[in-house]
Amino acid sequence: MALDGIAYTNDDERYMLLALEEAKIAASEDEVPVGVVIVKDGEVIAREHNRIESLGLSSAHAEMLAIEKAERALGAKWLAGATMYVTLEPCSMCAGAMVLARISRLVIGADDPKTGACGSLFNIAGSDSLNHTIEIERGVLEHECSSILKDFFKSRR
C-alpha cells in the first residue's frame, strides 16, 4: 500500500507516514518539521505538528500538543495502551510528559543525537528509575523523517 507516494508494509509505517504529513504542514508554516500521531485501539486519536513559532510558546512541541489533544479526545489523563509516532526523537520535556501521560509505546522515525531523550542523549522514556517505562521502537521510515528535517534546515541557510 502507499500513502503520499511512499509505500508502507505495516501499521508502524502507515502511522509514521501520517506523522510525516504533519511534519510537512509544520514546514509549510515555517516551523521545525516534526509531526506526531497518537493511536489507541487502531484509531488515530491525535495528530499534531510543531507550533512553537505560530503560538509563541517554547512548549508548543508536537508531542506536547498531541498528548493534550489525545487526553481531551479520551476524556482521561492517562494514555495507557496508546502508541505515539513521532518523526524526530523527543526532547527531555516531551519524554517526561509522555511518561507522566503513561503512553505505552513510542515509535521514532529519526534519532536526535543533540537533544534526544529516548535513548540518544538521555533515556527518560525508557528509564527504570521512573514510575512508568515506555516501549521504544526506532528507525521507522528513518530516511524520510531525516530528509524532511535536513531539507528544511538546508533551505534556511
Side-chain angles (χ1 to χ4, degrees):
M1 306 206 71
L3 182 65
D4 200 25
I6 302 172
Y8 63 89
T9 59
N10 59 50
D11 283 344
D12 283 350
E13 289 180 357
R14 178 167 60 108
Y15 293 127
M16 187 61 75
L17 284 171
L18 296 177
L20 274 164
E21 286 180 357
E22 288 294 322
K24 289 176 186 177
I25 294 169
S28 74
E29 296 174 355
D30 212 25
E31 299 274 2
V32 174
V34 175
V36 171
V37 170
I38 299 178
V39 176
K40 184 169 182 181
D41 300 326
E43 181 182 339
V44 174
I45 58 172
R47 291 176 66 144
E48 264 300 344
H49 56 275
N50 274 357
R51 296 180 189 267
I52 297 162
E53 301 302 326
S54 63
L55 295 178
L57 298 170
S58 61
S59 63
H61 290 202
E63 299 93 329
M64 300 295 285
L65 298 170
I67 288 169
E68 182 180 342
K69 191 179 273 187
E71 289 172 341
R72 275 190 269 122
L74 295 177
K77 62 183 176 181
W78 308 130
L79 298 175
T83 299
M84 177 184 282
Y85 296 85
V86 61
T87 57
L88 179 66
E89 180 180 359
C91 70
S92 56
M93 173 181 68
C94 295
M98 292 167 43
V99 169
L100 292 173
R102 310 291 196 276
I103 287 177
S104 296
R105 186 167 176 258
L106 171 65
V107 180
I108 300 169
D111 288 341
D112 185 350
K114 293 183 180 178
T115 64
C118 299
S120 289
L121 186 60
F122 305 108
N123 195 2
I124 293 169
S127 175
D128 291 331
S129 299
L130 300 174
N131 64 337
H132 177 72
T133 303
I134 299 169
E135 176 189 337
I136 301 171
E137 176 78 28
R138 315 180 83 77
V140 174
L141 298 181
E142 182 176 12
H143 174 73
E144 292 83 355
C145 292
S146 295
S147 291
I148 192 169
L149 286 157
K150 288 176 186 171
D151 292 346
F152 176 80
F153 287 113
K154 187 176 181 180
S155 72
R156 298 181 62 99
R157 288 187 200 119

